[in-house]
Amino acid sequence: MSKLPNITTSIFTVMSKMATEYNAINLSQGFPNFPVDERLTQIVSKLSSENVHQYTPMAGYPPLMDQIAKLIQSSYNRTIEPETEILVTAGATQAIFTTLLALLKINDEVIILDPSYDCYEAPILLSNAKPIRVALNDDYTPNWNTIANAFSDKTKMIIINNPHNPTGKILNESDLEKLEILLEKHPNVLLLSDEVYEYITFEEKHISTHTRKKLLDRCITVSSFGKSFHVTGWKIGYLVAPEYLMKEIKKVHQFLVFSVNSICQVAVSQYLDLVTIKEISPFYQEKRDYFRSLLKNSRFKLMPCEGTYFQVVSYAGISNENDVDFCKQLITEHGVAAIPISTFYADGKDLKLIRFCFAKDNFTLKEAAKRLCAV
Ligand code: PMP
Ligand code: GLN
């Protein structure tokens, strides 16, 4: 009598567990393995003996909400009202779950673009709504005609993820324009924009929904401090939504978590005065370039990586196996864990592609690459 008969254990859990069992280098699940900025750990140490251990207000610690508004102003030149338009969440996962549960009704349809990150589908199903999964082109550009054709009179929402996990692709100006035109034709459709990798982009600039005036009155934008500040285990993020949607989202949030970990909220609010956001992209660009240079002479084919900390590679020149089996063998025979891309498709489409996370110290990247070059 499962409510989610087709949902299984997340591929990130499966691969990380297997990596641990076989003592493999874990480039599967996306998390950094280098030390956190000392300025942030010092703030946390200091806070542990201060009076910051009780509930914060439900929607977030007010100074943090002011800091988020300042960040959005400086990054995107958008002015938002912290009290009515920001919600601090236990990571982007909870932001997305809460939003979907609050806004979807029975039989609503939600368009998701495949390959898609795994946390969208379950809350849609639990809302008795229907995920409509539309594949991106094989080069991971969106096919706006196919997407337009997937709209029906039941469509309630479209979810975009930009920069995109797992492919590292980012949407360009023309994509955003086409999205705006499409949504103009469907005035009641909402947009959920998962932008957790907003500060990790390389040659091309990330275009945030925060900068798109035409979208703001129906857009929920999701961010993650876990990704931006290398603290995925803190599970802290936020969403921005217009007040009429936020009122509904807060109704669910108050009974799902009520409020988010107080120390982390205070720590991030203080850290935001110290950190230079613009340094995050060059930091990861160096890692991307280093990892790519190490794999240059391997038999893997490197796919483009425009943003995120994921590098997709093709193993088509190495093996004909399906990507899940290939990843398992990579762990057991070569000691490196990766994520098979087919698991991000509703139909399990297998293009012989796997994903490595390069948010690792250089020693780890070098050792992993040495093993991969031997494949
Ligand atoms: N969306 C995407 C695209 C992700 O890669 C992740 C993983 N960090 C999340 C959402 C969830 O983020 P968080 O860890 O802040 O819940
Ligand atoms: N976002 C991470 C990834 O893509 C996984 C986070 C998780 O395991 N839920 O690898």
Side-chain angles (χ1 to χ4, degrees):
M1 287 304 285
S2 171
K3 289 179 80 175
L4 298 169
N6 297 318
I7 302 267
T8 52
T9 305
S10 122
I11 190 68
F12 308 114
T13 302
V14 172
M15 286 300 163
S16 275
K17 185 161 173 272
M18 207 173 155
T20 307
E21 273 166 22
Y22 285 86
N23 201 19
I25 299 176
N26 190 359
L27 304 190
S28 64
Q29 196 177 21
F31 62 89
N33 79 337
F34 40 81
V36 172
D37 187 341
E38 251 177 48
R39 293 172 300 177
L40 185 54
T41 50
Q42 274 165 11
I43 292 172
V44 177
S45 307
K46 194 165 78 49
L47 285 177
S48 68
S49 55
E50 290 181 15
N51 182 19
V52 293
H53 301 285
Q54 308 311 327
Y55 296 130
T56 67
M58 184 267 282
Y61 174 60
L64 175 60
M65 294 165 84
D66 289 342
Q67 289 283 47
I68 291 170
K70 247 171 75 183
L71 175 66
I72 290 170
Q73 183 79 58
S74 66
S75 300
Y76 303 120
N77 200 20
R78 175 182 180 193
T79 306
I80 48 174
E81 193 48 63
E83 216 178 299
T84 53
E85 294 178 303
I86 297 175
L87 182 66
V88 178
T89 58
T93 312
Q94 188 242 314
I96 292 164
F97 195 99
T98 307
T99 299
L100 294 169
L101 231 66
L103 301 180
L104 297 180
K105 295 196 177 126
I106 185 166
N107 294 333
D108 281 344
E109 293 182 355
V110 181
I111 296 185
I112 301 179
L113 307 178
D114 277 2
S116 62
Y117 184 64
D118 69 348
C119 81
Y120 309 137
E121 188 156 43
I124 297 174
L125 295 171
L126 289 172
S127 308
N128 291 313
K130 193 171 166 199
I132 304 290
R133 297 181 58 165
V134 180
L136 294 166
N137 294 321
D138 284 354
D139 66 355
Y140 305 130
T141 52
N143 183 330
W144 291 105
N145 288 331
T146 319
I147 296 169
N149 288 337
F151 274 65
S152 78
D153 55 2
K154 292 194 183 136
T155 307
K156 178 63 180 275
M157 184 186 282
I158 174 168
I159 302 179
I160 57 170
N161 172 211
N162 178 35
H164 188 254
N165 180 9
T167 69
K169 190 90 187 147
I170 61 180
L171 297 177
N172 61 26
E173 176 64 30
S174 150
D175 290 319
L176 269 296
E177 278 167 15
K178 285 178 184 148
L179 175 64
E180 285 165 352
I181 293 168
L182 180 62
L183 290 185
E184 253 167 34
K185 289 189 194 141
H186 299 276
N188 297 322
V189 172
L190 302 173
L191 172 65
L192 175 57
S193 183
D194 175 349
E195 301 187 20
V196 300
Y197 301 101
E198 62 196 311
Y199 297 121
I200 310 178
T201 61
F202 311 124
E203 286 79 8
E204 304 297 324
K205 224 176 128 355
H206 164 62
I207 305 173
S208 173
T209 47
H210 286 304
T211 65
R212 310 301 291 198
K213 291 213 164 53
K214 287 184 185 165
L215 299 175
L216 295 184
D217 64 343
R218 51 163 117 191
C219 183
I220 304 101
T221 305
V222 175
S223 297
S224 171
F225 287 123
K227 295 290 161 183
S228 298
F229 298 156
H230 325 303
V231 286
T232 60
W234 285 24
K235 295 303 302 185
I236 180 166
Y238 58 94
L239 66 87
V240 174
E243 188 175 359
Y244 75 103
L245 296 175
M246 187 61 96
K247 272 189 182 158
E248 297 306 308
I249 295 169
K250 282 180 182 171
K251 287 181 194 172
V252 176
H253 177 84
Q254 65 185 341
F255 297 122
L256 199 55
V257 286
F258 184 73
S259 62
V260 170
N261 183 317
S262 58
I263 294 195
C264 291
Q265 288 199 66
V266 180
V268 170
S269 77
Q270 296 184 5
Y271 185 60
L272 277 161
D273 274 332
L274 309 177
V275 69
T276 310
I277 296 286
K278 283 200 173 82
E279 288 174 358
I280 303 169
S281 283
F283 171 78
Y284 276 118
Q285 184 159 348
E286 211 177 299
K287 295 216 169 283
R288 179 201 66 170
D289 293 347
Y290 181 58
F291 188 54
R292 286 177 71 93
S293 73
L294 292 171
L295 289 185
K296 207 172 61 202
N297 295 324
S298 75
R299 293 202 292 153
F300 291 98
K301 185 171 163 225
L302 296 163
M303 297 298 163
C305 171
E306 299 172 343
T308 76
Y309 44 52
F310 302 117
Q311 173 65 55
V312 175
V313 303
S314 165
Y315 64 89
I318 302 174
S319 163
N320 235 338
E321 256 177 310
N322 73 59
D323 61 359
V324 176
D325 287 346
F326 185 82
C327 281
K328 287 183 179 163
Q329 244 183 51
L330 206 55
I331 294 178
T332 56
E333 289 178 18
H334 298 278
V336 181
I339 295 287
I341 301 291
S342 68
T343 57
F344 295 79
Y345 283 95
D347 62 1
K349 182 161 153 178
D350 179 13
L351 297 169
K352 314 284 175 227
L353 296 167
I354 60 176
R355 188 198 83 178
F356 294 119
C357 170
F358 57 78
K360 305 292 168 190
D361 58 44
N362 285 0
F363 176 80
T364 305
L365 293 176
K366 196 169 174 186
E367 180 56 31
K370 195 172 105 193
R371 297 180 189 188
L372 294 171
C373 285
V375 176

